[in-house]
Amino acid sequence: MEMENQMESQKRRGRSNDNLISDRTGALGCVGWTIVILSGLFTFLLFPLTIWFCFRIVQEYERAVIFRVGRIKDRKPKGPGVFFILPCTDSFVKVDLRTVSFDIPPQEILTKDSVTVSVDGVVYFRVSDPIASVANVSNADFSTRLLAQTTLRNVLGTKNLAELLSDREGIAHSMQSNLDEATDHWGIKVERVEIKDVKLPHQLQRAMAAEAEAAREARAKVIAAEGEMNASRALKEASLVIAESPSALQLRYLQTLNTIASEKNSTIIFPLPMDVMSHFMRK
């Protein structure tokens, strides 16, 4: 449903742009046609000389919007390649169709949870409708830059700090949708928006670092306590096994003695059972 609504809104905007263009490409009127005819006669009479003023060339990545007596000549721009104009009555504006990128200057923004942060980003856009970019806005590039700054402020003002740090992709997508919808009437297509950097105040950075360190220390203490509990359970089970078989304690003594002797120590401590010592003490 959401995709269908977006497609329907784009169709409506396209129809509205076509209506605006059709209004601008209307009849020239009697005076306009008279000027065009005189210009054509002048071009024909001075043909060897005027030929150099009639042909123009635009590159593969450019389009030309032609104005005849102040009105847009056709519904579609000219180019790429060679096109013909009439001197004195026709003028044209070149429009670059390549993707343009620009940096959004760092913006001081107050988040939803009243935290001041500095955020910057980058926007990629291109001209999708050359006629609308010339006829509907005086400077499409500059207008898009200003709109990107205000859109960044408006979108981030509705987010709290946690969402701003963790959901950059969602914020960038929301900005792209808002910018694309706002600049569609200007013939601009916003292709991509990225959040570059989020700068926090130094006091907030220290507070967040202290909070993270305290959380890590708490987790370390919990892990150490769990290890002590598991070790005490293992020792309890081992004592029960040794209590059931007294010879197991002697084997453990020998194993300990073997471990100490392998390290080439000059002093060896050999433990004796208490029952053996008590026998000599009675004597």
Side-chain angles (χ1 to χ4, degrees), residues 1 18 20 30 33 35-36 56 78 86 93 97 102 118 125 190 200 215 221 243 248 258-259:
M1 289 297 293
D18 292 340
L20 291 173
C30 296
W33 280 113
I35 296 174
V36 171
R56 293 289 186 270
K78 298 295 183 180
L86 288 175
V93 178
L97 301 183
F102 67 89
S118 178
F125 72 95
V190 179
L200 303 177
K221 291 181 179 179
N258 185 26
T259 304

Side-chain angles (χ1 to χ4, degrees), residues 77-95:
K78 298 295 183 180
V82 181
F83 62 94
F84 178 84
I85 62 172
L86 288 175
C88 304
T89 61
D90 292 356
S91 62
F92 67 95
V93 178
K94 287 184 180 180
V95 180

Side-chain angles (χ1 to χ4, degrees), residues 174-225:
S174 177
M175 283 188 59
Q176 178 184 356
S177 301
N178 294 340
L179 279 174
D180 194 24
E181 183 178 358
T183 58
D184 184 75
H185 181 65
W186 301 341
I188 300 295
K189 173 64 178 177
V190 179
E191 296 181 339
R192 190 178 183 87
V193 178
E194 292 291 341
I195 303 297
K196 291 176 60 177
D197 190 16
V198 179
K199 297 181 181 179
L200 303 177
H202 294 291
Q203 295 180 354
L204 182 60
Q205 292 181 11
R206 289 195 295 268
M208 294 177 65
E211 181 183 0
E213 184 178 359
R216 287 194 297 269
E217 290 180 355
R219 288 195 298 269
K221 291 181 179 179
V222 171
I223 294 174

Side-chain angles (χ1 to χ4, degrees), residues 52-66:
W52 304 106
F53 302 96
C54 294
F55 291 99
R56 293 289 186 270
I57 300 175
V58 292
Q59 304 297 329
E60 180 68 29
Y61 54 84
E62 295 177 332
R63 297 295 183 271
V65 180
I66 300 177

Side-chain angles (χ1 to χ4, degrees), residues 79-145:
V82 181
F83 62 94
F84 178 84
I85 62 172
L86 288 175
C88 304
T89 61
D90 292 356
S91 62
F92 67 95
V93 178
K94 287 184 180 180
V95 180
D96 196 329
L97 301 183
R98 291 176 293 184
T99 299
V100 179
S101 63
F102 67 89
D103 292 328
I104 302 176
Q107 304 292 313
E108 294 288 339
I109 299 170
L110 185 65
T111 61
K112 190 176 181 181
D113 51 355
S114 301
V115 177
T116 303
V117 294
S118 178
V119 183
D120 59 352
V122 60
V123 177
Y124 300 86
F125 72 95
R126 61 179 175 83
V127 176
S128 60
D129 189 349
I131 295 179
S133 66
V134 173
N136 293 346
V137 61
S138 61
N139 191 333
D141 181 88
F142 184 69
S143 300
T144 304
R145 293 172 185 266

